[in-house]
Amino acid sequence: MADDDNWSWSGFLFHFRKTQHPFSPLDSSLLKNHRYNGEVHTASRLASRPRRSCRSPHSRTGVIASAVYPLNGMEVMNSTIVKRILISTLPDEVGENLWDHLALPQQRKLRSPAPDASIRSPAFNAAAFTTGSPLDWHTTDSIDPEELKTALARDSGVLLREKEGLLRGARYHLGMLMLYIGVPLDETLVRTYALILLPISRGAITLKSADISDQPAIDHNHYATASDQYRLRTAVPTFAKFMNTSPVVDPFTEEAVPPGLKMIREESSDAEIDERLNAATMTLQHPAGKVTANMGKVVDTEFRVEGVQWLRAIDASARHTSISCPIQAVVYALGE
């Protein structure tokens, strides 16, 4: 895509290794498989229970999230110098291909709230727990390739290479995750998300005017393709089945359903799922695609902004295609 060997898997792997390893000064054996230089590191955490191993390491230190790589993607879209450049020299395709991971949030009530099961309980009194995503666990699943192929056949306007990419071998299309936080913050609720990975619905961002203070017009256009609809309609009841299977279900009562909405079950119809999705979907705030830092149009393969000396724009919008994981580690590697 970039016509540059540095963007091959072998060229990129080194940068991933620099950003994702759990570094411990007490265990030098980790250095055999993971590398680090300078200020780029994460902090390891000893845990008494398995659930804590998934907590974002950088949430305790804030080093990566705020000091090394400020990942304010929407801020870049809305008010940075990249926008000023685009106002006067807007290349073709910039602002197109916006994608994000669409999800259905749900809440579960704890049957017997434990002291470390949800935020606002006594074990969660450190301020660091509010600076990162309170992730408990995250898992993925695939789908029936023949059903997906049928859905893709109904999608017009989608690049053939994207369709072929979704069908090339076993891929993770569905995401399921749990956060040890609920709303309201009363230590009795946890939140889950069923989401679609590798979406092919595409939105766009356009400028309303040449006035830098004007916010852009953003058309997310989620859930617009038959294949995305099939996969999210599959993810939601699949997660319902998972959450109602022992031992996963044991700590919880039934779903805490918002007023006026129906509970999602394994046997819910497409119409019932769509009704719920229309009322309660959200993104996981992973905006990317050829939007602002469009590689080849706005930046080159080293993220140098075309036509401006000494300026680089490192942003998830350099990723043209969707990925089946959070974009955080990818953007850290882009920064490297």
Side-chain angles (χ1 to χ4, degrees), residues 66-115:
S66 61
V68 180
Y69 307 127
L71 303 180
N72 301 323
M74 295 306 294
E75 182 69 17
V76 172
M77 295 177 188
N78 289 339
S79 60
T80 67
I81 194 168
V82 175
K83 178 178 175 182
R84 299 172 191 264
I85 295 166
L86 298 184
I87 287 173
S88 57
T89 58
L90 188 64
D92 294 337
E93 300 181 20
V94 172
E96 299 177 1
N97 204 49
L98 175 65
W99 62 267
D100 205 328
H101 291 132
L102 188 68
L104 175 68
Q106 297 172 274
Q107 297 205 125
R108 296 270 172 168
K109 196 171 185 65
L110 292 162
R111 199 177 299 276
S112 300

Side-chain angles (χ1 to χ4, degrees), residues 186-213:
D186 61 1
E187 71 184 87
T188 67
L189 296 168
V190 296
R191 176 165 289 201
T192 63
Y193 295 89
L195 61 141
I196 175 177
L197 306 172
L198 302 171
I200 60 171
S201 297
R202 294 293 185 265
I205 297 179
T206 55
L207 298 175
K208 293 179 181 177
S209 73
D211 184 349
I212 190 65
S213 64

Side-chain angles (χ1 to χ4, degrees), residues 31-52:
L31 302 183
K32 295 178 181 178
N33 299 316
H34 301 286
R35 310 169 192 179
Y36 70 101
N37 289 299
E39 296 297 322
V40 183
H41 63 273
T42 59
S44 64
R45 173 183 172 84
L46 298 178
S48 59
R49 301 182 65 182
R51 82 177 63 209
R52 295 183 181 176

Side-chain angles (χ1 to χ4, degrees), residues 37-304:
N37 289 299
E39 296 297 322
V40 183
H41 63 273
T42 59
S44 64
R45 173 183 172 84
L46 298 178
S48 59
R49 301 182 65 182
R51 82 177 63 209
R52 295 183 181 176
S53 61
C54 288
R55 292 174 182 162
S56 301
H58 70 269
S59 69
R60 290 175 58 83
T61 64
V63 173
I64 294 178
S66 61
V68 180
Y69 307 127
L71 303 180
N72 301 323
M74 295 306 294
E75 182 69 17
V76 172
M77 295 177 188
N78 289 339
S79 60
T80 67
I81 194 168
V82 175
K83 178 178 175 182
R84 299 172 191 264
I85 295 166
L86 298 184
I87 287 173
S88 57
T89 58
L90 188 64
D92 294 337
E93 300 181 20
V94 172
E96 299 177 1
N97 204 49
L98 175 65
W99 62 267
D100 205 328
H101 291 132
L102 188 68
L104 175 68
Q106 297 172 274
Q107 297 205 125
R108 296 270 172 168
K109 196 171 185 65
L110 292 162
R111 199 177 299 276
S112 300
D116 62 348
S118 183
I119 285 183
R120 276 294 173 92
S121 63
F124 289 90
N125 56 6
F129 287 124
T130 65
T131 63
S133 179
L135 179 65
D136 192 343
W137 51 261
H138 180 195
T139 189
T140 55
D141 200 1
S142 191
I143 52 171
D144 185 335
E146 291 302 316
E147 292 285 349
L148 177 59
K149 188 175 182 179
T150 300
L152 285 169
R154 300 199 301 272
D155 286 333
S156 59
V158 179
L159 293 176
L160 179 60
R161 68 184 183 190
E162 280 207 82
K163 292 184 177 183
E164 292 175 342
L166 293 179
L167 296 169
R168 189 181 299 122
R171 304 198 67 180
Y172 296 116
H173 294 269
L174 315 180
M176 295 166 276
L177 60 92
M178 177 179 287
L179 306 182
Y180 44 85
I181 186 172
V183 178
L185 297 175
D186 61 1
E187 71 184 87
T188 67
L189 296 168
V190 296
R191 176 165 289 201
T192 63
Y193 295 89
L195 61 141
I196 175 177
L197 306 172
L198 302 171
I200 60 171
S201 297
R202 294 293 185 265
I205 297 179
T206 55
L207 298 175
K208 293 179 181 177
S209 73
D211 184 349
I212 190 65
S213 64
D214 268 357
Q215 296 296 310
I218 303 177
D219 177 13
H220 293 283
N221 198 37
H222 297 303
Y223 207 54
T225 62
S227 53
D228 284 3
Q229 292 164 11
Y230 160 66
R231 287 180 289 171
L232 195 50
R233 288 171 182 160
T234 302
V236 171
T238 297
F239 201 12
K241 178 181 179 180
F242 178 73
M243 290 300 299
N244 286 313
T245 302
S246 186
V248 179
V249 70
D250 297 346
F252 308 108
T253 62
E254 290 186 322
E255 178 193 359
V257 184
L261 298 178
K262 295 180 180 178
M263 182 178 296
I264 293 293
R265 303 183 186 277
E266 182 184 353
E267 61 273 13
S268 294
S269 67
D270 286 351
E272 291 172 329
I273 293 170
D274 282 352
E275 181 181 3
R276 184 67 178 272
L277 292 173
N278 288 332
T281 47
M282 62 178 291
T283 73
L284 293 191
Q285 300 181 33
H286 297 163
K290 297 185 295 185
V291 185
T292 51
N294 186 337
M295 188 173 293
K297 299 290 184 177
V298 176
V299 299
D300 63 15
T301 56
E302 297 294 326
F303 298 100
R304 293 178 292 237

